[in-house]
Amino acid sequence: MVLSAMGLDPAAERVYRAMLAFPGVGVAELADATLLTEHQVRDGLDLLGDLALLRASREQTGMLRPVSEQRAMAILIERQAAELEARRAQLEVNRNALSSRLARDARTPPTGQAGIERLLGMDAVQDRLEELMTAAATEVLNILPGGPQTAASLAAARPVNQDLAARGLELRCIYQDSMRADRLNLNYAHWLQDLGVRIRTTPLVPPRMILIDRAIAVVPIEPQDSTRGAALLREPGVLASLFALFEQTWHTATDLDTPKAAEPGQDTPTPAELELLKMVASGITDQAAANRLGISLRTVRRRMEDLMNRLEATSRFEAGLKAAKRGWL
Protein backbone atom coordinates (compact mmCIF):
# COMPACT_ATOMS: atom_id res chain seq x y z
CA MET A 1 0.00 0.00 0.00
CA VAL A 2 2.62 2.50 -1.14
CA LEU A 3 0.16 5.14 -2.31
CA SER A 4 -1.92 5.05 0.86
CA ALA A 5 1.24 6.02 2.74
CA MET A 6 1.24 9.16 0.57
CA GLY A 7 -2.31 10.11 1.53
CA LEU A 8 -4.43 8.05 -0.89
CA ASP A 9 -7.49 6.35 0.60
CA PRO A 10 -6.77 2.57 0.92
CA ALA A 11 -9.99 1.58 -0.87
CA ALA A 12 -9.22 4.00 -3.72
CA GLU A 13 -5.76 2.48 -4.03
CA ARG A 14 -7.27 -0.99 -4.37
CA VAL A 15 -9.46 0.31 -7.21
CA TYR A 16 -6.43 2.01 -8.80
CA ARG A 17 -4.33 -1.16 -8.71
CA ALA A 18 -7.17 -3.26 -10.06
CA MET A 19 -7.48 -0.85 -13.01
CA LEU A 20 -3.75 -1.24 -13.65
CA ALA A 21 -4.07 -5.03 -13.57
CA PHE A 22 -7.30 -5.29 -15.60
CA PRO A 23 -7.47 -2.40 -18.08
CA GLY A 24 -10.88 -1.55 -19.48
CA VAL A 25 -13.05 -3.49 -16.98
CA GLY A 26 -16.24 -2.01 -15.58
CA VAL A 27 -17.45 -1.23 -12.07
CA ALA A 28 -18.83 -4.75 -11.44
CA GLU A 29 -15.54 -6.41 -12.44
CA LEU A 30 -13.55 -3.94 -10.31
CA ALA A 31 -15.80 -4.75 -7.35
CA ASP A 32 -15.12 -8.47 -7.79
CA ALA A 33 -11.36 -7.88 -8.14
CA THR A 34 -11.09 -5.64 -5.10
CA LEU A 35 -13.69 -7.33 -2.85
CA LEU A 36 -15.40 -3.95 -2.52
CA THR A 37 -19.03 -3.02 -3.12
CA GLU A 38 -19.93 -1.25 -6.34
CA HIS A 39 -20.75 1.84 -4.28
CA GLN A 40 -17.24 1.77 -2.76
CA VAL A 41 -15.75 1.32 -6.22
CA ARG A 42 -17.61 4.35 -7.55
CA ASP A 43 -16.46 6.43 -4.56
CA GLY A 44 -12.91 5.28 -5.25
CA LEU A 45 -13.21 6.23 -8.93
CA ASP A 46 -14.51 9.68 -7.98
CA LEU A 47 -11.58 10.21 -5.61
CA LEU A 48 -9.04 9.01 -8.18
CA GLY A 49 -10.57 11.41 -10.69
CA ASP A 50 -10.44 14.34 -8.24
CA LEU A 51 -6.76 13.62 -7.62
CA ALA A 52 -6.00 13.45 -11.36
CA LEU A 53 -4.92 9.82 -11.05
CA LEU A 54 -7.27 8.87 -13.91
CA ARG A 55 -7.19 10.22 -17.44
CA ALA A 56 -9.46 9.79 -20.47
CA SER A 57 -8.38 7.20 -23.01
CA ARG A 58 -7.37 8.57 -26.40
CA GLU A 59 -8.31 5.32 -28.07
CA GLN A 60 -11.68 4.45 -26.51
CA THR A 61 -14.24 7.18 -25.96
CA GLY A 62 -15.63 7.38 -22.42
CA MET A 63 -13.06 5.03 -20.92
CA LEU A 64 -10.83 6.12 -18.03
CA ARG A 65 -7.36 4.72 -17.54
CA PRO A 66 -5.05 5.11 -14.53
CA VAL A 67 -1.81 7.10 -14.75
CA SER A 68 1.41 5.17 -14.15
CA GLU A 69 2.39 4.38 -10.60
CA GLN A 70 5.42 6.71 -10.83
CA ARG A 71 3.19 9.56 -12.00
CA ALA A 72 0.65 8.79 -9.26
CA MET A 73 3.38 8.97 -6.63
CA ALA A 74 4.60 12.30 -8.00
CA ILE A 75 1.06 13.74 -7.98
CA LEU A 76 0.44 12.62 -4.40
CA ILE A 77 3.79 13.97 -3.22
CA GLU A 78 3.09 17.35 -4.84
CA ARG A 79 -0.32 17.39 -3.17
CA GLN A 80 1.23 16.61 0.22
CA ALA A 81 3.80 19.37 -0.29
CA ALA A 82 1.06 21.88 -1.12
CA GLU A 83 -0.94 20.84 1.95
CA LEU A 84 2.16 21.07 4.13
CA GLU A 85 2.94 24.57 2.84
CA ALA A 86 -0.63 25.64 3.53
CA ARG A 87 -0.40 24.25 7.06
CA ARG A 88 2.92 26.03 7.59
CA ALA A 89 1.42 29.31 6.44
CA GLN A 90 -1.55 28.86 8.79
CA LEU A 91 0.81 27.86 11.61
CA GLU A 92 2.79 31.08 11.10
CA VAL A 93 -0.42 33.12 11.21
CA ASN A 94 -1.45 31.36 14.42
CA ARG A 95 2.02 31.77 15.95
CA ASN A 96 2.06 35.51 15.20
CA ALA A 97 -1.40 35.88 16.69
CA LEU A 98 -0.31 34.02 19.82
CA SER A 99 2.87 36.08 20.13
CA SER A 100 0.93 39.33 19.81
CA ARG A 101 -1.59 38.18 22.39
CA LEU A 102 1.06 37.00 24.83
CA ALA A 103 3.16 40.13 24.39
CA ARG A 104 0.14 42.33 25.04
CA ASP A 105 -0.98 40.32 28.07
CA ALA A 106 2.54 40.04 29.49
CA ARG A 107 3.02 43.78 29.42
CA THR A 108 -0.44 44.66 30.70
CA PRO A 109 -0.50 44.41 34.49
CA PRO A 110 -3.69 43.42 36.29
CA THR A 111 -6.03 46.22 37.30
CA GLY A 112 -4.62 48.23 40.16
CA GLN A 113 -1.07 46.91 39.73
CA ALA A 114 0.47 49.43 37.36
CA GLY A 115 4.02 49.16 38.69
CA ILE A 116 4.24 45.91 40.64
CA GLU A 117 2.47 42.62 40.06
CA ARG A 118 2.72 40.18 42.97
CA LEU A 119 2.77 36.43 42.32
CA LEU A 120 2.12 34.41 45.46
CA GLY A 121 3.34 30.81 45.49
CA MET A 122 5.52 28.76 43.17
CA ASP A 123 2.67 27.68 40.88
CA ALA A 124 1.68 31.28 40.18
CA VAL A 125 5.32 32.18 39.51
CA GLN A 126 5.80 29.25 37.12
CA ASP A 127 2.61 30.01 35.16
CA ARG A 128 3.47 33.70 34.77
CA LEU A 129 7.09 33.00 33.84
CA GLU A 130 5.97 30.59 31.12
CA GLU A 131 3.78 33.34 29.66
CA LEU A 132 6.58 35.90 29.85
CA MET A 133 9.17 33.58 28.30
CA THR A 134 6.81 32.66 25.49
CA ALA A 135 6.21 36.35 24.79
CA ALA A 136 9.90 37.36 25.07
CA ALA A 137 11.07 38.93 21.80
CA THR A 138 14.68 40.11 22.12
CA GLU A 139 16.55 39.08 25.28
CA VAL A 140 16.38 37.32 28.62
CA LEU A 141 18.99 38.05 31.30
CA ASN A 142 19.32 35.84 34.35
CA ILE A 143 21.11 36.10 37.69
CA LEU A 144 21.20 32.87 39.70
CA PRO A 145 22.73 33.18 43.18
CA GLY A 146 23.08 30.45 45.76
CA GLY A 147 25.53 28.09 44.11
CA PRO A 148 24.47 24.87 42.34
CA GLN A 149 20.84 24.51 41.26
CA THR A 150 18.89 21.34 42.05
CA ALA A 151 18.40 18.62 39.45
CA ALA A 152 14.64 19.34 39.48
CA SER A 153 15.23 23.04 38.79
CA LEU A 154 17.55 22.25 35.89
CA ALA A 155 15.07 19.78 34.39
CA ALA A 156 12.24 22.32 34.63
CA ALA A 157 14.33 25.02 32.95
CA ARG A 158 15.60 22.84 30.09
CA PRO A 159 12.58 23.07 27.69
CA VAL A 160 12.21 26.81 28.34
CA ASN A 161 15.88 27.44 27.51
CA GLN A 162 15.65 25.29 24.40
CA ASP A 163 12.66 27.27 23.16
CA LEU A 164 14.30 30.65 23.84
CA ALA A 165 17.51 29.61 22.10
CA ALA A 166 15.64 28.20 19.10
CA ARG A 167 13.90 31.56 18.66
CA GLY A 168 17.25 33.37 18.48
CA LEU A 169 16.92 35.58 21.57
CA GLU A 170 19.98 37.02 23.29
CA LEU A 171 20.44 34.95 26.44
CA ARG A 172 22.90 35.73 29.23
CA CYS A 173 23.24 34.07 32.64
CA ILE A 174 25.36 34.96 35.66
CA TYR A 175 26.01 32.13 38.11
CA GLN A 176 27.91 32.04 41.37
CA ASP A 177 31.47 30.64 41.16
CA SER A 178 30.56 27.79 43.49
CA MET A 179 28.43 26.33 40.69
CA ARG A 180 31.64 25.27 38.94
CA ALA A 181 32.34 22.68 41.65
CA ASP A 182 29.12 20.78 40.90
CA ARG A 183 29.42 18.41 37.92
CA LEU A 184 25.69 18.34 37.15
CA ASN A 185 25.42 22.14 37.08
CA LEU A 186 28.64 22.53 35.12
CA ASN A 187 27.46 20.06 32.47
CA TYR A 188 24.15 21.90 32.26
CA ALA A 189 25.95 25.23 31.85
CA HIS A 190 28.04 23.82 28.99
CA TRP A 191 24.84 22.47 27.40
CA LEU A 192 23.41 25.99 27.59
CA GLN A 193 26.55 27.35 25.93
CA ASP A 194 26.09 24.88 23.08
CA LEU A 195 22.62 26.39 22.57
CA GLY A 196 24.17 29.85 22.30
CA VAL A 197 23.61 31.08 25.85
CA ARG A 198 26.44 33.28 27.19
CA ILE A 199 27.44 32.35 30.73
CA ARG A 200 29.70 33.98 33.29
CA THR A 201 30.38 33.37 36.98
CA THR A 202 31.50 35.54 39.87
CA PRO A 203 32.12 34.94 43.60
CA LEU A 204 29.28 37.24 44.66
CA VAL A 205 26.11 37.89 42.72
CA PRO A 206 23.14 40.19 43.35
CA PRO A 207 19.81 38.66 44.42
CA ARG A 208 17.91 36.43 42.00
CA MET A 209 16.39 38.25 39.04
CA ILE A 210 15.14 37.69 35.49
CA LEU A 211 15.14 40.63 33.09
CA ILE A 212 13.00 40.34 29.96
CA ASP A 213 13.20 42.56 26.87
CA ARG A 214 14.33 45.47 29.07
CA ALA A 215 10.66 45.91 29.92
CA ILE A 216 9.97 43.52 32.80
CA ALA A 217 11.96 42.35 35.83
CA VAL A 218 11.05 39.34 37.95
CA VAL A 219 12.51 39.27 41.47
CA PRO A 220 11.69 37.21 44.60
CA ILE A 221 9.34 38.77 47.12
CA GLU A 222 11.62 37.40 49.84
CA PRO A 223 15.26 36.96 48.64
CA GLN A 224 15.98 34.32 51.31
CA ASP A 225 12.84 32.29 50.50
CA SER A 226 11.93 32.18 46.81
CA THR A 227 9.00 29.80 47.51
CA ARG A 228 6.94 32.72 48.82
CA GLY A 229 6.52 34.16 45.36
CA ALA A 230 7.82 36.87 43.09
CA ALA A 231 7.20 40.44 42.02
CA LEU A 232 6.97 41.68 38.42
CA LEU A 233 8.38 45.17 38.06
CA ARG A 234 7.69 47.54 35.17
CA GLU A 235 8.66 50.96 36.51
CA PRO A 236 11.30 52.44 34.12
CA GLY A 237 13.42 53.84 36.94
CA VAL A 238 13.57 50.52 38.79
CA LEU A 239 14.26 48.62 35.57
CA ALA A 240 17.10 50.96 34.63
CA SER A 241 18.78 50.33 37.99
CA LEU A 242 18.38 46.56 37.74
CA PHE A 243 19.75 46.44 34.20
CA ALA A 244 22.71 48.60 35.24
CA LEU A 245 23.36 46.21 38.14
CA PHE A 246 23.25 43.24 35.77
CA GLU A 247 25.67 44.85 33.30
CA GLN A 248 28.08 45.87 36.06
CA THR A 249 28.09 42.33 37.45
CA TRP A 250 28.43 40.88 33.94
CA HIS A 251 31.50 42.95 33.11
CA THR A 252 33.32 41.93 36.30
CA ALA A 253 32.37 38.24 35.99
CA THR A 254 34.44 35.52 34.33
CA ASP A 255 33.46 33.54 31.23
CA LEU A 256 32.58 29.94 32.04
CA ASP A 257 35.48 28.53 30.01
CA THR A 258 38.08 30.93 31.41
CA PRO A 259 40.44 29.12 33.84
CA LYS A 260 40.57 30.41 37.39
CA ALA A 261 43.28 32.94 38.08
CA ALA A 262 44.83 30.71 40.73
CA GLU A 263 44.16 27.58 42.73
CA PRO A 264 44.14 27.36 46.52
CA GLY A 265 47.67 27.00 47.83
CA GLN A 266 49.25 29.41 45.33
CA ASP A 267 50.29 32.88 46.40
CA THR A 268 47.82 34.89 44.31
CA PRO A 269 44.29 34.67 45.75
CA THR A 270 41.33 33.74 43.60
CA PRO A 271 38.42 36.21 43.24
CA ALA A 272 36.41 34.07 45.67
CA GLU A 273 39.22 34.20 48.21
CA LEU A 274 39.45 37.97 47.86
CA GLU A 275 35.73 38.28 48.52
CA LEU A 276 36.12 36.08 51.60
CA LEU A 277 38.95 38.28 52.89
CA LYS A 278 36.80 41.38 52.40
CA MET A 279 33.94 39.78 54.34
CA VAL A 280 36.18 38.70 57.18
CA ALA A 281 37.72 42.17 57.32
CA SER A 282 34.24 43.68 57.63
CA GLY A 283 33.42 41.42 60.56
CA ILE A 284 30.92 39.13 58.84
CA THR A 285 30.43 35.66 60.36
CA ASP A 286 31.63 32.49 58.66
CA GLN A 287 28.05 31.29 58.19
CA ALA A 288 26.99 34.56 56.59
CA ALA A 289 30.03 34.42 54.31
CA ALA A 290 29.12 30.86 53.32
CA ASN A 291 25.57 31.93 52.49
CA ARG A 292 26.70 34.85 50.38
CA LEU A 293 29.32 32.81 48.50
CA GLY A 294 26.98 29.86 47.98
CA ILE A 295 29.37 27.39 49.63
CA SER A 296 29.42 25.34 52.83
CA LEU A 297 30.57 26.58 56.21
CA ARG A 298 33.28 23.93 56.14
CA THR A 299 34.60 25.28 52.83
CA VAL A 300 34.71 28.83 54.21
CA ARG A 301 36.77 27.71 57.20
CA ARG A 302 39.09 25.61 55.05
CA ARG A 303 39.70 28.51 52.67
CA MET A 304 40.29 30.91 55.54
CA GLU A 305 42.77 28.53 57.14
CA ASP A 306 44.63 28.24 53.83
CA LEU A 307 44.74 32.02 53.43
CA MET A 308 46.10 32.49 56.94
CA ASN A 309 48.81 29.91 56.26
CA ARG A 310 49.82 31.61 53.01
CA LEU A 311 49.87 34.99 54.76
CA GLU A 312 51.70 33.52 57.77
CA ALA A 313 49.09 35.08 60.03
CA THR A 314 48.09 33.87 63.48
CA SER A 315 44.73 35.64 63.53
CA ARG A 316 42.15 36.85 61.06
CA PHE A 317 42.89 40.44 62.00
CA GLU A 318 46.56 39.89 61.16
CA ALA A 319 45.55 38.15 57.94
CA GLY A 320 43.57 41.24 56.92
CA LEU A 321 46.50 43.53 57.63
CA LYS A 322 48.96 41.38 55.69
CA ALA A 323 46.54 40.97 52.79
CA ALA A 324 46.20 44.76 52.58
CA LYS A 325 49.98 45.17 52.77
CA ARG A 326 50.38 42.80 49.82
CA GLY A 327 47.88 44.84 47.85
CA TRP A 328 45.23 42.13 47.82
CA LEU A 329 42.64 44.40 49.44
Side-chain angles (χ1 to χ4, degrees):
M1 292 291 186
V2 174
L3 300 183
S4 62
M6 297 180 180
L8 182 61
D9 178 76
E13 179 168 3
R14 289 165 66 178
V15 174
Y16 169 81
R17 293 196 179 280
M19 294 180 73
L20 286 177
F22 308 106
V25 300
V27 171
E29 291 84 355
L30 288 173
D32 291 338
T34 58
L35 301 180
L36 298 171
T37 65
E38 291 189 12
H39 178 73
Q40 289 174 311
V41 169
R42 289 191 177 90
D43 287 343
L45 290 171
D46 289 341
L47 180 58
L48 292 171
D50 292 340
L51 295 175
L53 299 185
L54 300 179
R55 61 165 60 113
S57 171
R58 293 186 178 184
E59 299 177 354
Q60 296 181 338
T61 303
M63 190 181 83
L64 295 174
R65 47 192 292 270
V67 300
S68 68
E69 186 171 358
Q70 293 85 345
R71 179 57 185 158
M73 292 173 66
I75 290 173
L76 292 175
I77 290 173
E78 290 172 3
R79 183 181 181 86
Q80 282 185 317
E83 291 174 348
L84 181 59
E85 186 59 35
R87 290 177 63 188
R88 284 177 176 168
Q90 185 59 51
L91 179 61
E92 189 62 26
V93 171
N94 294 342
R95 180 180 286 116
N96 290 336
L98 174 62
S99 297
S100 298
R101 169 69 180 273
L102 288 172
R104 183 179 67 252
D105 291 349
R107 287 161 176 75
T108 304
T111 304
Q113 298 183 2
I116 300 178
E117 177 183 344
R118 293 171 63 87
L119 305 172
L120 302 179
M122 296 303 296
D123 289 340
V125 173
Q126 181 179 1
D127 291 345
R128 196 71 170 100
L129 276 178
E130 287 178 354
E131 294 175 356
L132 294 170
M133 294 302 182
T134 303
T138 57
E139 70 174 7
V140 175
L141 312 179
N142 234 321
I143 293 182
L144 298 103
Q149 308 292 304
T150 66
S153 296
L154 298 180
R158 184 178 290 269
V160 176
N161 286 319
Q162 282 181 311
D163 176 66
L164 292 172
R167 285 155 50 199
L169 276 69
E170 179 184 354
L171 306 174
R172 287 188 284 164
C173 293
I174 302 175
Y175 287 89
Q176 207 148 8
D177 275 348
S178 54
M179 176 273 290
R180 294 174 180 261
D182 183 85
R183 178 56 53 184
L184 177 64
N185 278 257
L186 192 59
N187 288 341
Y188 185 83
H190 282 119
W191 174 77
L192 287 176
Q193 280 195 149
D194 291 339
L195 292 180
V197 182
R198 299 170 63 193
I199 296 176
R200 292 184 179 181
T201 70
T202 187
L204 289 177
V205 295
R208 178 82 167 97
M209 68 177 73
I210 303 174
L211 310 173
I212 304 169
D213 291 345
R214 300 190 177 265
I216 296 175
V218 184
V219 299
I221 292 177
E222 173 52 62
Q224 304 305 322
D225 184 10
S226 60
T227 63
R228 289 188 55 189
L232 267 64
L233 310 176
R234 298 179 178 82
E235 291 290 353
V238 175
L239 291 174
S241 297
L242 292 176
F243 281 109
L245 177 59
F246 179 92
E247 294 296 349
Q248 181 182 27
T249 307
W250 177 262
H251 288 302
T252 58
T254 304
D255 285 332
L256 182 64
D257 292 329
T258 300
K260 293 181 180 179
E263 293 298 329
Q266 297 181 358
D267 184 62
T268 305
T270 65
E273 289 173 333
L274 286 176
E275 292 297 338
L276 178 56
L277 281 170
K278 293 176 184 177
M279 292 181 195
V280 170
S282 68
I284 195 171
T285 65
D286 287 353
Q287 185 61 64
N291 294 339
R292 292 185 62 185
L293 291 170
I295 57 180
S296 68
L297 177 61
R298 182 178 179 181
T299 300
V300 165
R301 290 173 175 169
R302 177 177 56 78
R303 288 184 182 179
M304 197 61 221
E305 181 180 0
D306 180 70
L307 285 167
M308 290 175 65
N309 289 335
R310 285 151 61 189
L311 290 164
E312 298 180 350
T314 58
S315 69
R316 296 190 175 194
F317 178 76
E318 185 182 2
L321 292 177
K322 289 188 174 183
K325 187 174 182 180
R326 292 192 187 191
W328 291 2
L329 299 179

